[in-house]
C-alpha cells in the first residue's frame, strides 16, 4: 500500500489478509487483531471495554486495505489489540479438494495453512488474562503458575475450537512478541 505495508494471507484463510508486514528498525508487532461477528458486536465490545476501564479508540475504515472500522485498546501487558468486524472476503482458492502441502512449481517461500496462535510477553499477566476472559469472552484453557502456586507465569486462552488462540507470558518489558 502507500504506507509501505505488505498484506499476506495463509493458504486456507478466506479474508483479504491475516498478516501485515512493514519495514522497521527492529523485529516486533504493532498490534494483533481479532475479527468479531458484526458491527453491533464491535460496538458492544467497545462499550464493555470502556465500562471495564479500558480506553479505546476507533480507527477509520480503509486505514488498512480491505478492512472496516477497528476498535483499538492496550492490554495490561502493553500490547495493542484491535477488534474489527469487516474485511473483504477473497476466498482461499483451494477448491473442494485439499491441495498438496506444497506446489512443486513454486521454488521459493513457504505455504502456511493458517495463522494459528500468538505467544506474547509482558508484565501483568493475571490482569491481561482477566481482561480477555471477563470482557472479551475468551476461555482460559491452561496456565503455568509460579512457585507460590498463585502467580500466573503464562496463560493460554482460546476463543475457538483450537487448543489456544493467544497466550500471555510474564516478561518485565511490556508489549513483546515471542511468536
Amino acid at each position: 500500500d502507500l504506507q509501505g505495508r505488505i498484506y499476506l494471507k495463509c493458504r486456507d484463510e478466506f479474508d483479504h489478509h491475516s498478516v501485515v508486514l512493514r519495514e522497521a528498525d527492529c523485529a516486533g508487532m504493532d498490534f494483533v487483531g481479532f475479527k468479531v461477528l458484526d458491527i453491533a458486536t464491535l460496538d458492544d465490545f467497545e462499550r464493555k471495554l470502556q465500562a471495564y476501564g479500558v480506553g479505546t479508540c476507533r480507527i477509520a475504515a480503509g486505514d488498512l486495505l480491505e478492512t472496516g472500522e477497528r476498535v483499538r485498546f492496550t492490554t495490561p501487558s502493553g500490547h495493542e489489540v484491535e477488534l474489527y468486524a469487516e474485511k473483504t472476503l477473497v476466498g482461499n482458492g483451494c477448491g473442494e479438494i485439499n491441495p498438496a502441502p506444497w506446489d512443486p512449481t513454486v521454488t521459493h517461500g513457504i505455504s502456511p495453512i493458517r495463522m494459528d496462535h500468538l505467544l506474547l510477553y509482558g508484565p501483568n499477566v493475571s490482569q491481561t488474562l482477566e481482561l480477555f476472559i471477563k470482557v472479551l469472552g475468551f476461555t482460559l484453557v491452561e496456565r503455568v503458575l509460579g512457585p507460590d502456586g498463585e502467580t500466573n507465569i503464562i496463560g493460554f486462552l482460546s476463543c475457538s475450537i483450537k487448543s489456544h488462540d493467544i497466550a500471555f507470558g510474564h516478561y518485565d518489558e511490556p508489549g513483546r512478541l515471542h511468536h
Side-chain angles (χ1 to χ4, degrees):
D1 73 0
L2 296 175
Q3 296 177 345
R5 297 179 287 205
I6 298 170
Y7 294 79
L8 304 170
K9 70 183 268 317
C10 296
R11 187 175 68 200
D12 199 27
E13 294 173 340
F14 289 81
D15 284 343
H16 178 267
H17 62 273
S18 60
V19 176
V20 180
L21 299 178
R22 67 170 180 80
E23 187 174 354
D25 293 333
C26 63
M29 177 185 79
D30 290 335
F31 66 89
V32 59
F34 287 96
K35 189 173 188 179
V36 301
L37 180 63
D38 54 27
I39 295 294
T41 304
L42 183 67
D43 294 341
D44 186 49
F45 275 129
E46 182 175 36
R47 282 189 295 275
K48 288 177 180 177
L49 286 161
Q50 290 171 351
Y52 195 72
V54 176
T56 64
C57 70
R58 286 272 176 156
I59 300 170
D63 175 68
L64 289 176
L65 287 180
E66 307 296 331
T67 307
E69 189 174 33
R70 304 178 337 255
V71 171
R72 179 178 276 193
F73 63 95
T74 305
T75 67
S77 60
H79 295 93
E80 298 293 320
V81 176
E82 293 184 358
L83 306 176
Y84 65 94
E86 298 172 335
K87 190 178 287 184
T88 301
L89 291 173
V90 296
N92 66 5
C94 289
E96 294 179 8
I97 299 173
N98 287 337
W102 59 85
D103 181 344
T105 64
V106 176
T107 59
H108 64 278
I110 62 171
S111 184
I113 294 172
R114 64 179 156 80
M115 291 297 293
D116 189 76
H117 66 271
L118 288 169
L119 171 53
L120 305 179
Y121 282 165
N124 307 311
V125 170
S126 293
Q127 295 92 329
T128 302
L129 296 175
E130 185 176 291
L131 171 67
F132 271 72
I133 294 164
K134 289 185 176 180
V135 179
L136 301 176
F138 281 68
T139 300
L140 179 67
V141 293
E142 187 175 351
R143 65 185 174 154
V144 175
L145 298 175
D148 64 6
E150 294 182 23
T151 304
N152 287 300
I153 301 299
I154 188 169
F156 297 84
L157 300 164
S158 182
C159 63
S160 69
I161 60 169
K162 296 187 301 187
S163 62
H164 65 281
D165 294 290
I166 193 166
F168 291 95
H170 176 76
Y171 192 72
D172 290 336
E173 187 179 338
R176 301 297 301 198
L177 167 68
H178 185 273
H179 71 269

